[in-house]
Amino acid sequence: MKKVEVFILSGFLGSGKTTLLKNILTQEKENKRKVAVVMNELGQVSIDSNAVSEDTPLKELLNGCVCCTIQGQFEVQLQELLQDYELDSIYIETTGVAHPIEVLDACMSPLFASKLTVQGIVTIIDANRWKDRHTLTPQFKILLQEQIKHADVLILNKVEQLTEKEQAQNVFEIQSLNNQAKCLLTSFASVQLDDIRTYQTLERKPHEKTSVAHLHVKTYVHTFSGPIDIDIFEEWLRSMPESIYRIKGYLKFLHSKHNYSFQYSYGTPIYMKELMNYPLTLVFIGEELDPVWMKAEMNGIETKSIREM
């Protein structure tokens, strides 16, 4: 099954996210790829929607942030895009105050996570704002650092306003927060589409190799074939790596007729009875998740559970 690529565009208001989006959409159109856009605004009126051409499917989420207050609406909009269009990629332009990991979490609904491939988190930084970050409030300083720390691609924009020495200093400071991300210096958010890809999915010649994806934060989706033993599952939770910090989805347990929705974050598992029979799918979010290891672990839980039947 062909999966739809997802790009999360993160960064403070005024850093150049919409300009970046326009540049990317132009290149996608030249490549004759089918793309859609989700734009999130904190206010009640959309400001930047005219940046998206009429022939590009667009969902607008207003008066809230997808990472918290309107996460449910965001999931509905994504599901509608996946159902109504045959897409190659979806670009999500976040609000300036969005935490990229929370946006990633909102993308990975267990109902459709298996249809998506997260290409990465792209954080664009206003070079002058970074240079003058000491003028920001403590909360905004922390948010800016978080947007940088969790990015797969960092774009230092408006560098034409800095001297070469200032550019070098900015890059050094940013990479000290995140030395794994690709760092690009731009004016007017001018980047090539390939520069923000974590791996290639565009058409290529037979002799060309596909580069390996290297995401800072990774996701893994697993669907169980049937009910599992809750004691075996909880024993696994207690011993799992600390690098897994978010799990959500649906489960069914032996000796119970009910389905359960499951949420795990900050060390706390939460189970809630579900009236609907959703697919028994779990989504894991964490750092450096090894999909081969994860699959073996989940298959192991199923195998042990069968022995308990």
Side-chain angles (χ1 to χ4, degrees):
M1 179 183 69
K2 176 188 171 183
K3 294 191 178 185
V4 179
E5 300 173 350
V6 173
F7 294 81
I8 297 170
L9 307 183
S10 171
F12 267 30
L13 186 67
S15 58
K17 289 195 301 292
T18 303
T19 303
L20 172 65
L21 178 64
K22 289 172 68 174
N23 290 340
I24 291 169
L25 293 179
T26 298
Q27 295 177 61
E28 289 280 32
K29 191 170 185 178
E30 290 170 354
N31 290 324
K32 295 182 170 51
R33 282 163 46 87
K34 298 173 183 177
V35 303
V37 173
V38 179
M39 300 186 88
N40 185 202
E41 301 271 8
L42 283 174
Q44 297 181 2
V45 178
S46 178
I47 299 171
D48 298 318
S49 58
N50 59 356
V52 180
S53 63
E54 291 184 359
D55 58 347
T56 299
L58 170 66
K59 297 289 187 180
E60 296 175 272
L61 292 161
L62 306 177
N63 207 26
C65 187
V66 299
C67 63
C68 47
T69 55
I70 56 172
Q71 186 173 130
Q73 295 177 44
F74 177 59
E75 291 183 3
V76 170
Q77 301 281 40
L78 270 184
Q79 191 159 23
E80 286 180 0
L81 285 174
L82 292 169
Q83 289 175 346
D84 296 345
Y85 303 95
E86 289 186 12
L87 297 171
D88 293 304
S89 58
I90 298 174
Y91 289 88
I92 300 166
E93 182 180 332
T94 66
T95 69
V97 297
H99 192 296
I101 296 302
E102 299 300 328
V103 178
L104 173 61
D105 183 16
C107 289
M108 300 306 292
S109 167
L111 297 179
F112 51 75
S114 61
K115 299 177 182 179
L116 303 176
T117 295
V118 178
Q119 273 279 355
I121 296 167
V122 181
T123 294
I124 186 164
I125 308 151
D126 183 316
N128 269 316
R129 174 164 284 173
W130 175 256
K131 186 182 71 170
D132 299 331
R133 64 192 180 280
H134 62 278
T135 62
L136 298 173
T137 64
Q139 293 90 339
F140 279 121
K141 280 184 193 174
I142 292 171
L143 177 60
L144 180 56
Q145 290 174 356
E146 288 293 295
Q147 290 176 343
I148 291 170
K149 282 168 60 178
H150 295 290
D152 302 296
V153 179
L154 292 164
I155 299 175
L156 185 62
N157 194 33
K158 306 180 185 179
V159 294
E160 74 281 358
Q161 300 174 14
L162 303 181
T163 66
E164 288 189 9
K165 183 178 179 180
E166 287 172 331
Q167 290 180 28
Q169 181 64 27
N170 278 13
V171 170
F172 174 79
E173 292 168 350
I174 288 168
Q175 290 189 322
S176 70
L177 289 174
N178 182 354
N179 61 10
Q180 295 183 328
K182 182 189 296 184
C183 189
L184 307 172
L185 277 65
T186 65
S187 297
F188 304 103
S190 179
V191 300
Q192 294 301 306
L193 185 55
D194 285 352
D195 289 336
I196 66 167
R197 290 181 175 279
T198 50
Y199 54 91
Q200 297 296 324
T201 53
L202 291 174
E203 186 128 353
R204 54 193 185 277
K205 297 173 184 176
H207 66 274
E208 292 179 332
K209 293 184 178 179
T210 303
S211 57
V212 178
H214 185 79
L215 293 176
H216 198 94
V217 178
K218 294 185 180 180
T219 61
Y220 173 75
V221 181
H222 188 90
T223 299
F224 292 101
S225 59
I228 59 175
D229 186 281
I230 189 170
D231 293 329
I232 293 171
F233 179 66
E234 291 198 329
E235 181 183 355
W236 185 86
L237 286 178
R238 288 191 291 270
S239 63
M240 73 178 184
E242 292 183 0
S243 57
I244 298 174
Y245 46 76
R246 186 80 169 90
I247 309 171
K248 61 181 179 179
Y250 301 96
L251 294 167
K252 191 166 188 176
F253 298 111
L254 298 176
H255 317 303
S256 173
K257 62 181 180 180
H258 299 289
N259 278 27
Y260 290 84
S261 65
F262 176 74
Q263 301 273 345
Y264 174 93
S265 61
Y266 302 106
T268 304
I270 300 174
Y271 305 88
M272 295 185 67
K273 288 181 182 177
E274 279 288 343
L275 298 177
M276 301 287 290
N277 288 323
Y278 293 113
L280 304 178
T281 298
L282 284 185
V283 177
F284 299 80
I285 300 175
E287 295 185 15
E288 303 302 328
L289 289 183
D290 180 350
V292 175
W293 181 83
M294 286 297 307
K295 184 176 181 179
E297 292 291 296
M298 294 303 104
N299 287 344
I301 290 173
E302 280 202 275
T303 301
K304 292 176 184 176
S305 297
I306 291 171
R307 294 175 189 155
E308 295 296 319
M309 294 177 66

